[in-house]
């Protein structure tokens, strides 16, 4: 089925769920309306729970990957050359993370549906009613999920926090091992995207988006763990070149990535960031 049809189908389901939820809030004593809204929201919450739990697995996997790719037995560049399968897994995690967050940012109904679910569960408990939901989310998990989805980019925040935690928990590993690993990956992606000879080998536009997402992902992680960030002149990342690569793409395909650099980095608004870089990232 064409991708546009899936988008239309998804929008229709979201609109139906929004209507059901609104009707249920306005008619709290009409049992049929409540049942319809509940039946629509429960499967969604099950999916939200699955993705939240998956984010915890990504955090653990990222820690394992960084542990190997930054170990002292080789330089970060040697690790990336010698352990290409692991580097690719790292890239796949970043690609999924940026893709997930792009979709999340365009779907504000997620938090509204989850809030409705929590209110309904609370009312059922007060009235000693059964939710008949085998995967009911308890209060503790609901609180953690609520914090997770409150972030504009929940998966990216998870990885940023995990990378920062890895650096702070491993003081015996020089921070340069981590930052050089990240900056090298950013450089490789940039060169592949801006060099016609390499780019001509890409099988599809999806491969281009893969490289773009990985590049932006490692930039954001670098900016969170490097004391001075990714935007200073002494940064190992050519930020002007990376932003130019993004700006050279169709606007519709990179707006989410540019927003990720604008709003989820740590040092963009520092005084040490040049006006040129700030201007390049200004929203049109």
């Amino acid at each position: 089925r064409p991708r546009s049809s899936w988008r239309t189908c998804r929008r229709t389901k979201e609109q139906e769920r929004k209507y059901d939820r609104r009707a249920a809030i306005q008619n709290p004593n009409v049992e049929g309306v409540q049942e319809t809204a509940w039946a629509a929201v429960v499967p969604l919450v099950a999916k939200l729970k699955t993705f939240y739990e998956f984010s915890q697995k990504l955090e653990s996997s990222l820690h394992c990957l960084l542990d190997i790719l930054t170990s002292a037995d080789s330089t970060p560049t040697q690790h990336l050359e010698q352990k290409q399968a692991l580097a690719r897994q790292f890239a796949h995690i970043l690609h999924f993370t940026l893709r997930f967050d792009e979709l999340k940012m365009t779907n504000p109904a997620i938090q509204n549906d989850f809030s409705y679910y929590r209110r309904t569960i609370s009312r059922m408990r007060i009235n000693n009613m059964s939710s008949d939901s085998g995967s009911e989310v308890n209060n503790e998990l609901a609180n953690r999920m609520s914090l997770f989805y409150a972030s504009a980019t929940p998966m990216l925040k998870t990885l940023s926090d995990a990378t920062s935690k890895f650096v702070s928990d491993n003081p015996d590993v020089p921070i340069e091992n981590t930052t050089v690993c990240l900056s090298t990956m950013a450089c490789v992606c940039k060169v592949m995207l801006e060099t016609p000879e390499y780019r001509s080998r890409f099988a599809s536009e999806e491969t281009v988006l893969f490289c773009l997402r990985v590049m932006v992902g490692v930039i954001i992680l670098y900016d969170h763990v490097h004391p001075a960030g990714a935007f200073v002149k002494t940064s190992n990342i050519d930020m002007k070149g990376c932003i130019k690569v993004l700006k050279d793409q169709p606007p519709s395909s990179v707006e989410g990535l540019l927003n990720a650099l604008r709003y989820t980095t740590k040092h963009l608004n520092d005084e040490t960031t040049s006006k040129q870089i700030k201007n390049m990232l200004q929203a049109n």
Side-chain angles (χ1 to χ4, degrees):
R1 184 185 262 190
R3 188 176 296 181
S4 59
S5 298
W6 284 115
R7 285 202 192 102
T8 303
C9 180
R10 192 183 72 184
R11 269 194 228 107
T12 302
K13 288 182 178 178
E14 289 170 1
Q15 290 165 356
E16 287 177 357
R17 199 165 55 243
K18 181 178 179 181
Y19 174 81
D20 291 338
R21 186 182 65 239
R22 187 175 294 170
I25 292 170
Q26 293 173 348
N27 300 277
N29 298 317
V30 180
E31 188 174 337
V33 173
Q34 297 298 320
E35 289 176 352
T36 300
W38 181 249
V41 167
V42 167
L44 173 76
V45 171
K47 287 184 181 178
L48 294 180
K49 179 183 177 184
T50 298
F51 280 116
Y52 170 74
E53 291 172 342
F54 186 62
S55 76
Q56 308 306 296
K57 293 179 180 178
L58 285 186
E59 182 177 355
S60 175
S61 297
L62 181 69
H63 187 283
C64 293
L65 288 169
L66 289 174
D67 202 33
I68 296 170
L69 295 174
T70 64
S71 60
D73 55 330
S74 298
T75 67
T77 303
Q78 288 171 334
H79 279 308
L80 291 173
E81 290 175 348
Q82 297 164 3
K83 303 179 177 70
Q84 293 185 25
L86 293 181
R88 185 168 179 78
Q89 283 301 111
F90 190 6
H92 276 292
I93 288 174
L94 291 167
H95 173 255
F96 166 80
T97 295
L98 270 294
R99 179 64 179 138
F100 179 91
D101 286 347
E102 285 171 21
L103 292 171
K104 192 269 179 183
M105 282 192 285
T106 60
N107 191 359
I110 286 175
Q111 285 167 274
N112 294 331
D113 287 336
F114 192 57
S115 295
Y116 170 77
Y117 173 88
R118 295 187 71 183
R119 288 196 302 271
T120 304
I121 282 286
S122 296
R123 188 171 68 249
M124 286 178 170
R125 287 182 185 135
I126 291 171
N127 297 328
N128 293 318
M129 296 168 62
S130 171
S131 65
D132 291 326
S133 171
S135 58
E136 180 181 327
V137 175
N138 62 38
N139 275 333
E140 183 184 352
L141 178 57
N143 288 335
R144 295 201 303 270
M145 286 175 60
S146 186
L147 285 173
F148 175 75
Y149 286 108
S151 171
T153 54
M155 289 286 179
L156 193 53
K157 184 178 187 306
T158 297
L159 293 196
S160 298
D161 290 348
T163 308
S164 299
K165 188 174 187 301
F166 171 81
V167 170
S168 62
D169 288 352
N170 294 275
D172 53 318
V173 177
I175 191 171
E176 292 78 13
N177 288 21
T178 303
T179 55
V180 171
C181 173
L182 297 171
S183 62
T184 301
M185 290 181 69
C187 179
V188 169
C189 290
K190 181 180 81 74
V191 170
M192 290 176 67
L193 288 161
E194 69 184 3
T195 307
E197 179 187 350
Y198 296 142
R199 182 149 177 171
S200 64
R201 300 175 189 173
F202 290 170
S204 67
E205 280 303 303
E206 192 58 37
T207 308
V208 175
L209 286 171
F210 180 91
C211 286
L212 289 168
R213 289 178 184 131
V214 173
M215 182 181 75
V216 170
V218 290
I219 288 171
I220 292 169
L221 297 187
Y222 181 101
D223 192 60
H224 275 264
V225 299
H226 193 285
F231 300 97
V232 292
K233 290 181 179 179
T234 55
S235 167
N236 289 333
I237 297 177
D238 174 13
M239 283 305 306
K240 292 177 185 176
C242 290
I243 296 170
K244 183 179 183 304
V245 165
L246 285 165
K247 292 275 192 173
D248 287 342
Q249 314 306 315
S252 59
S253 65
V254 296
E255 190 58 30
L257 297 176
L258 288 167
N259 283 336
L261 289 177
R262 290 171 186 136
Y263 306 122
T264 66
T265 47
K266 191 175 179 181
H267 295 278
L268 174 61
N269 294 316
D270 289 359
E271 292 182 1
T272 51
T273 302
S274 71
K275 288 184 179 179
Q276 185 179 1
I277 288 178
K278 289 181 180 179
N279 289 337
M280 289 177 76
L281 279 176
Q282 278 186 346
N284 294 327

